Amino acid sequence: RHDDDSSRSRSPTFRHHPARIQPRKAPWLKSIFKRLLNVEDMMVGDVSLDDSPLRDAPVLVARVRCGKGALRCSRCGRKAPRYDNGGGGRSWRRQDFGCFRVGLSGPVPRVECRPHGVVVSRVPWAGPGGRFTRDFGSGCAWLMTVAGQRTVSGFPHIAWRTAGDIARRVAGRLESSMPCMFDGLHAIGVDGTGRGKGHAYITVIVDHGRGRVIWAHDGHGRQVLDLFFRQLTPERRASIRIVTGDGAGWIDSSVAEHRPNAERVLDPFHIVSWMTDALDRVGKRLWNQAGRDGNKTATEAMRDVRYAVPRNPGDLTERRSTALATLADADPRGRLYRSWQLRELLRTLPRQPVERAEAELKRWIGRASRCRIPEIVEPCGKIRGRRDDILTTIRLGCSNARIEAFNNKIKVTIRMAYGFRNTDNLIAMIKPRCSGPPIHLPTPIL
């Protein structure tokens, strides 16, 4: 009956003014809202419902404050005495209650901390300077790791730029709670991955021992890699014994300056790709030559062979396998067949013992030098110059496969967002997906 009377007594302008629920008249509301808000050391005052036409959805605003004796410094977390009221209240966004959006509003006094002076007091439900609660940020960051832009911006009712800022805050909070990722580095992998059009790249560094991304930065080249080594202490740099990557010269020069005693490991896939590209150029030249001669039979045979030789024999279809069997007939001079043999010998080289691989590599360099095929000159020179690094790769059995897998995750992250305008937000998304700090969904406080 009390509810019916109160509903009749409302003025016609109720839609334009917030309705206030007073927990003092209904003490059970205070305990219910405190359990629903799911925050320790929180005192709930009155609760109001704002459903004015200016808002696109009703907002349930709870007036909250910290418990007695819970004033702490927002920087170090130490207890500190109150300094003043802080100049007014603040508001924070929380997870929705069904179709109602929820906001917290309350005073945030300032405290006098001995190490940091007069600063804003810490609130248990949000970080310093944040406009969202910790639970809202954790839920939004977790959603960004499994969903795309439309879902992230539509489900929590936030803008995509705001979602990027939340991801950066959550990643920073999780990273600060974990041990430093630069401790105990023994083997690292360096690679660059494209993040957009116009040759835009980011440099990614992976810890092979723990299997996670430890550093990422916009751009690529020696200057970017030098930034990583400068962030390490001399002890951390000295602990790095293995550096994997492709054959880029900027990796070699930076490693030689900052960690000259580290063993440089080349990725076997990139070593074989040098010969694969040369093999493709040989096939293209012979195919064009057969077309210029007007021999249609040779052109058809060379076309099938050209698309078969760059692939591994185990990955060929039946048609490509048949074309590869006629390789000697398609090229009577044997240029493409000899190039294919050199590629296959180089591909199987990492699977052999070190002593045998060293002899086979020496024999391979001799054969490639005498093959008189113009396209083989460049990869032969690269392999001759990186002979020691290739033997080190075979001896240690390392590769860049782990960082290539992370590159695929990064590209999926970029695709899910339909591109990132802010590189910092992209790196903030890479950390929770590839760096190991787990994002836990909010759980009820028992």
Side-chain angles (χ1 to χ4, degrees), residues 72-83 110-120:
R72 294 180 178 270
C73 176
S74 58
R75 297 185 181 180
C76 61
R78 298 179 180 178
K79 289 186 177 181
R82 178 192 293 266
Y83 182 78
R110 294 194 299 175
V111 296
E112 187 174 4
C113 180
R114 289 185 178 181
H116 302 100
V118 179
V119 295
V120 177

Side-chain angles (χ1 to χ4, degrees), residues 72-355:
R72 294 180 178 270
C73 176
S74 58
R75 297 185 181 180
C76 61
R78 298 179 180 178
K79 289 186 177 181
R82 178 192 293 266
Y83 182 78
D84 59 10
N85 293 330
R90 298 190 182 185
S91 58
W92 301 268
R93 170 78 184 280
R94 196 196 175 281
Q95 295 98 319
D96 300 345
F97 287 167
C99 60
F100 293 91
R101 300 184 186 179
V102 180
L104 305 182
S105 177
V108 181
R110 294 194 299 175
V111 296
E112 187 174 4
C113 180
R114 289 185 178 181
H116 302 100
V118 179
V119 295
V120 177
S121 64
R122 187 186 69 177
V123 292
W125 53 84
R131 298 182 292 112
F132 305 91
T133 63
R134 296 181 186 273
D135 290 349
F136 184 90
S138 298
C140 184
W142 179 89
L143 188 63
M144 280 186 284
T145 62
V146 297
Q149 176 184 6
R150 184 180 297 274
T151 304
V152 174
S153 60
F155 186 72
H157 304 290
I158 58 175
W160 179 239
R161 291 184 178 181
T162 305
D165 296 337
I166 292 175
R168 188 165 62 249
R169 282 180 170 272
V170 173
R173 186 175 75 243
L174 294 176
E175 188 175 353
S176 62
S177 63
M178 295 178 58
C180 183
M181 293 188 179
F182 297 154
D183 292 338
L185 295 178
H186 301 290
I188 63 173
V190 183
D191 197 8
T193 181
R195 64 171 181 85
K197 298 181 179 179
H199 299 285
Y201 297 92
I202 59 173
T203 300
V204 181
I205 297 181
V206 170
D207 180 10
H208 287 293
R210 298 182 179 91
R212 63 186 183 184
V213 175
I214 59 174
W215 192 78
H217 197 276
D218 187 20
H220 76 294
R222 178 175 177 177
Q223 296 81 4
V224 178
L225 188 56
D226 289 342
L227 292 177
F228 166 73
F229 282 111
R230 293 193 188 105
Q231 292 184 9
L232 304 180
T233 61
E235 294 77 11
R236 290 171 177 169
R237 283 199 299 267
S239 64
I240 300 176
R241 299 194 301 265
I242 300 173
V243 179
T244 66
D246 54 16
W250 57 272
I251 299 179
D252 299 332
S253 58
S254 181
V255 172
E257 178 183 353
H258 298 281
R259 190 64 183 96
N261 296 329
E263 295 185 292
R264 181 74 167 87
V265 174
L266 300 180
D267 186 31
F269 173 79
H270 289 87
I271 298 174
V272 178
S273 67
W274 298 340
M275 274 301 303
T276 302
D277 295 340
L279 182 61
D280 185 60
R281 292 195 298 269
V282 173
K284 184 177 181 179
R285 177 169 62 88
L286 297 178
W287 183 29
N288 293 336
Q289 183 178 352
R292 288 193 297 266
D293 295 340
N295 191 345
K296 294 184 178 180
T297 304
T299 302
E300 293 293 331
M302 186 57 65
R303 183 187 62 181
D304 293 338
V305 169
R306 180 198 166 194
Y307 289 112
V309 290
R311 300 188 179 185
N312 297 334
D315 299 335
L316 296 177
T317 61
E318 184 178 356
R319 177 184 175 184
R320 301 303 183 193
S321 299
T322 304
L324 188 62
T326 62
L327 180 59
D329 299 333
D331 181 23
R333 298 180 60 181
R335 292 163 293 183
L336 190 59
Y337 180 70
R338 283 180 290 155
S339 302
W340 177 77
Q341 276 188 325
L342 290 173
R343 201 284 302 270
E344 288 301 303
L345 290 174
L346 189 64
R347 187 174 64 89
T348 58
L349 196 64
R351 306 173 188 174
Q352 301 179 8
V354 180
E355 295 78 8

